[in-house]
């Protein structure tokens, strides 16, 4: 059995694997659903079993993923495998009608998620709700910690200003602070470099980036302009899909693949290794859907990292200035 290394998740007191399994593909693909998209219950069970075998101990989902199917399938598997060593993280606040972190809804969704999943260890605000102040929503999350319903809570899809406001609001109200941040972050999405990531590091928050391979663009699949197959992860993400039409980005991806080959690793393993060695990054969220994709996850831990390799990567994909 392979055992991924573990690390501390901010100040939560939880020890988690250096990778988190994103389960948005269980029953669908994130917030979408439809024929040919996502994993059925049998494939989902195989995925979860394999995650445990490689040492992952934190599963990430949301009440909106696959319109609720992700939580249902995950909860059913956990009920059938009570000895599985997993922590469970879910999110609320994204709805078909837009963001909604109204207090009553947050309470109701946490209760529903706990029933569906069996337990919730970490609970995140999935998006910023422009119609609900942090002063209204954060006390609900803090109360859940006080009541022992969850261990800690966090925020997702936030700007630096959003995160500052959330932390200051919690401090002003003398309630539990958000303990972790979940944002999109990869070599192709480095907006958090000088903002959210730096702040999370300074405040000792957990930082668990999602889409670490930019929906497969950094996995060596599309550098020659290939179009994604219907039902693939990239085909469901229009903003990321547009990158394929940018010749400069395709050229950079090609150079990155050459750098990976020169180090005898896959592009995916090198992209993961870059994240593992970024100061402040706690654990990337990986959306594995095929057994072969675990190879790059496991291999990334053993990629020999150096300042020279970091510079080579940054020359291809420059970061955001501080």
């Amino acid at each position: 059995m392979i055992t991924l290394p573990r690390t501390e998740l901010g100040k939560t007191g939880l020890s988690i694997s250096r990778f988190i399994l994103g389960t948005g593909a269980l029953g669908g693909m994130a917030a979408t659903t439809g024929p040919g998209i996502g994993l059925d219950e049998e494939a989902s069970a195989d995925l979860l079993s394999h995650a445990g075998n490689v040492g992952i101990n934190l599963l990430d989902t949301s009440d909106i993923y696959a319109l609720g199917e992700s939580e249902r399938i995950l909860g059913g598997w956990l009920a059938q495998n009570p000895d599985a060593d997993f922590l469970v993280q879910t999110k609320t606040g994204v709805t078909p009608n837009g963001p909604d972190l109204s207090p009553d809804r947050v309470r109701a969704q946490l209760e529903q998620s706990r029933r569906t999943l069996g337990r919730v260890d970490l609970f995140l605000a999935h998006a910023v709700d422009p119609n609900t102040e942090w002063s209204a929503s954060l006390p609900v999350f803090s109360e859940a910690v006080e009541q022992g319903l969850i261990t800690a809570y966090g925020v997702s899809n936030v700007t630096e200003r959003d995160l500052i406001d959330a932390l200051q609001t919690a401090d002003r109200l003398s309630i539990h602070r958000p303990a972790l941040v979940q944002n999109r972050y990869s070599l192709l999405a480095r907006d958090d470099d000088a903002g959210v990531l730096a702040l999370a590091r300074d405040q000792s928050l957990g930082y668990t980036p999602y889409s670490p391979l930019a929906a497969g663009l950094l996995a060596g699949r599309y550098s020659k302009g290939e179009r994604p197959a219907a039902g693939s992860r990239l085909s469901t993400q229009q903003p990321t899909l547009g990158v394929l039409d940018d010749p400069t980005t395709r050229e950079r991806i090609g150079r990155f693949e050459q750098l990976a080959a020169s180090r005898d690793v896959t592009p995916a393993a090198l992209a993961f290794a870059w994240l593992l060695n970024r100061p402040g990054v706690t654990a990337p969220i990986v959306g594995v859907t095929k057994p072969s994709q675990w190879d790059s996850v496991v291999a990334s831990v053993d990629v020999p990292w150096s300042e020279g390799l970091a510079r080579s990567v940054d020359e291809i994909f420059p970061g955001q200035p501080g």
Side-chain angles (χ1 to χ4, degrees), residues 187-188 216-226 243-244 246-263 265-268 270 312-313 315-317:
L187 284 166
L188 283 171
L217 287 173
L218 294 169
R221 300 175 196 158
Y222 306 109
S223 61
K224 297 178 177 60
E226 303 93 327
V243 171
L244 286 178
D246 177 14
T248 299
T249 301
R250 289 204 307 270
E251 185 269 337
R252 286 176 172 171
I253 292 172
R255 287 168 55 200
F256 181 72
E257 292 176 4
Q258 292 173 5
L259 176 62
S262 74
R263 300 300 176 116
V265 297
T266 66
L270 184 57
S312 295
V313 173
E315 287 172 0
I316 299 171
F317 296 110

Side-chain angles (χ1 to χ4, degrees), residues 129-147:
D129 178 1
N131 299 311
T132 304
E133 298 288 340
W134 286 129
S135 58
S137 60
L138 294 190
V140 180
F141 289 89
S142 181
E143 288 165 10
V145 177
E146 291 287 348
Q147 295 167 3

